[in-house]
């Protein structure tokens, strides 16, 4: 377990900023954003010169940096040489980080960044370096990728054992503590009680359904409220007529009991409507309760999906153009 706060050094690479003719905005922004994840030293500014960049990275590592975050010089211009200056220093590449930095569907130009990242070993010290683009947007995106990983990267650099499950890597201390508190309950695998399981031609009262599963032992009550929408597959919908098989009531009760078995939840209620429904009417609703949210959500999802897949209810959709369509789907 790392017993100290990781140290990050920020290096801005820009001829104009180094010459004092343009204010450096990317470096200070990186410093501010990275301070959420580590101690960050003052920004060092160097020109777009391979030797100067290499020296700045080496100096940062010698000065105690666990991570060196560079910004600028990753494009195609003649003076963009940050990757070329960084590459010879790398003993291990982090292609996954590089790919994440270049993968931004909202910013197509992100794919043009040539930045590299990985582990460097300098005078007996190991550190991680990442090349971010020089734009403020590029810095934000890069910190969003690298920032949450800094503690885990630092642990790996020190050859420490992994101290967090894979799904918690990248979470803040607050997030990890919250996860531990909220996940400490263990399901006992008991059966939930099915309080309602029926098909009905009467309007579904979702509030009553939700109240039906409340219990003094339940810390979580969750609800699915499925309504008739005004469109389907690009066509405007006016109404839906549901027809139920005579055994639909038996089937929905069987599904509910199957889902409730061993769920570790407390109560389950499911109702499906048949007959004529207008846009906005409730067609299918379900509610579940449990001591903890995980079991409640799991039971609700299971019940909804299985009713959708198995309940013998068919619907006739009336469209705004006067046409209609039958489907065998609840």
């Amino acid at each position: 377990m790392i017993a100290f706060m990781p140290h990050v050094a920020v290096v801005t690479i820009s001829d104009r900023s180094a010459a004092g003719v343009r204010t450096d905005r990317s470096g200070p922004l990186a410093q501010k954003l990275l301070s959420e994840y580590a101690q960050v030293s003052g920004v060092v500014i160097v020109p777009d010169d391979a030797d100067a960049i290499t020296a700045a990275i080496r100096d940062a590592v010698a000065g105690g940096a666990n991570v060196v975050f560079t910004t600028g010089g990753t494009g195609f211009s003649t003076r963009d040489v940050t990757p070329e200056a960084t590459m010879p220093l790398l003993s291990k590449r982090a292609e996954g980080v590089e790919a994440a930095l270049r993968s931004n569907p909202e910013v197509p130009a992100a794919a043009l960044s040539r930045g590299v990242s990985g582990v460097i070993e300098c005078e007996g010290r190991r550190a991680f370096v990442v090349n971010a683009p020089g734009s403020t947007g590029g810095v934000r995106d890069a910190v969003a990728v690298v920032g949450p990983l800094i503690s885990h990267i630092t642990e790996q650099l020190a050859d420490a054992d992994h101290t967090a499950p894979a799904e918690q890597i990248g979470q803040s201390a607050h997030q990890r503590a919250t996860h531990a508190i909220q996940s400490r309950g263990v399901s006992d695998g008991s059966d939930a009680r099915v309080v309602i399981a029926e098909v009905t031609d009467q309007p579904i009262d979702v509030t009553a359904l939700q109240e039906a599963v409340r219990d003094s032992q339940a810390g979580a009550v969750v609800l699915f409220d499925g309504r008739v929408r005004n469109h389907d597959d690009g066509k405007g919908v006016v109404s839906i007529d549901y027809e139920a098989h005579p055994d639909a009531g038996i089937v929905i009760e069987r599904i509910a009991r199957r889902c409730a078995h061993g769920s570790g939840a407390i109560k389950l209620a499911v109702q499906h409507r048949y007959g004529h429904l207008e846009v906005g009417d409730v067609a299918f609703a379900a509610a579940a309760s449990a001591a903890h949210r995980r079991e409640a959500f799991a039971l609700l999802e299971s019940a909804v999906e299985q009713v959708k897949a198995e309940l013998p209810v068919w619907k006739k959709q009336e469209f705004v153009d006067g046409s209609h369509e039958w489907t065998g789907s609840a």
Side-chain angles (χ1 to χ4, degrees):
M1 178 74 165
I2 294 300
F4 57 87
M5 188 75 158
H7 175 202
V8 177
V10 177
V11 179
T12 294
I13 298 154
S14 167
D15 284 333
R16 286 180 287 179
S17 293
V21 297
R22 185 180 70 180
T23 301
D24 174 27
R25 293 185 172 84
S26 297
L29 176 62
Q31 183 182 31
K32 176 183 177 182
L33 296 177
L34 288 165
S35 64
E36 179 182 346
Y37 306 99
Q39 289 181 311
V40 186
S41 57
V43 179
V44 173
I45 304 175
V46 298
D48 290 281
D49 175 80
D51 290 338
I53 296 167
T54 298
I57 295 173
R58 286 184 177 277
D59 288 346
V61 177
N66 305 110
V67 176
V68 182
F69 186 96
T70 73
T71 170
T74 63
F76 295 156
S77 298
T78 304
R79 296 284 291 169
D80 288 334
V81 294
T82 301
E84 286 74 17
T86 305
M87 187 73 76
L89 299 174
L90 299 182
S91 60
K92 289 182 172 68
R93 288 280 294 278
E95 291 93 343
V97 172
E98 296 171 11
L101 294 180
R102 285 189 270 271
S103 178
N104 188 339
E106 297 181 3
V107 185
L112 301 179
S113 174
R114 299 185 303 111
V116 298
S117 64
V119 177
I120 63 176
E121 301 187 25
C122 179
E123 298 181 4
R125 297 196 72 258
R126 303 179 75 217
F128 187 84
V129 61
V130 57
N131 299 154
S135 65
T136 54
V139 166
R140 289 184 185 279
D141 291 343
V143 172
V145 171
V146 177
L149 299 174
I150 286 176
S151 291
H152 189 63
I153 288 171
T154 308
E155 287 182 355
Q156 288 200 334
L157 291 172
D159 292 329
D161 290 335
H162 301 326
T163 58
E167 67 272 12
Q168 293 185 35
I169 292 172
Q171 292 184 345
S172 66
H174 173 74
Q175 289 172 320
R176 290 194 297 272
T178 300
H179 181 274
I181 291 171
Q182 295 182 342
S183 300
R184 62 190 176 191
V186 178
S187 170
D188 60 5
S190 59
D191 297 348
R193 183 159 68 92
V194 177
V195 293
I196 299 173
E198 64 180 9
V199 293
T200 176
D201 61 353
Q202 298 300 307
I204 295 175
D205 184 340
V206 293
T207 300
L209 200 71
Q210 192 172 33
E211 289 300 318
V213 301
R214 290 197 185 279
D215 190 280
S216 60
Q217 300 180 65
V221 175
V222 293
L223 172 73
F224 169 74
D225 179 353
R227 296 175 181 253
V228 177
R229 60 180 181 266
N230 67 354
H231 66 94
D232 185 51
D233 197 23
K235 301 177 69 174
V237 173
V238 175
S239 63
I240 294 180
D241 287 279
Y242 286 94
E243 288 196 7
H245 188 277
D247 291 338
I250 297 173
V251 173
I252 197 170
E253 184 173 352
R254 183 171 65 236
I255 293 170
R257 295 193 182 284
R258 184 174 67 218
C259 293
H261 179 68
S263 66
I266 296 173
K267 293 179 181 178
L268 172 66
V270 290
Q271 283 184 308
H272 201 293
R273 181 92 181 269
Y274 65 91
H276 181 77
L277 279 72
E278 301 287 342
V279 171
D281 287 343
V282 180
F284 174 32
S289 63
H292 305 281
R293 70 180 187 277
R294 183 172 299 179
E295 289 79 12
F297 277 123
L299 175 55
L300 182 71
E301 181 178 20
S302 175
V304 169
E305 293 303 319
Q306 292 189 45
V307 168
K308 283 282 190 181
E310 300 178 29
L311 188 65
V313 171
W314 296 265
K315 64 182 180 182
K316 176 187 177 184
Q317 293 191 105
E318 297 285 351
F319 299 111
V320 294
D321 62 4
S323 63
H324 67 267
E325 178 183 58
W326 280 95
T327 58
S329 171

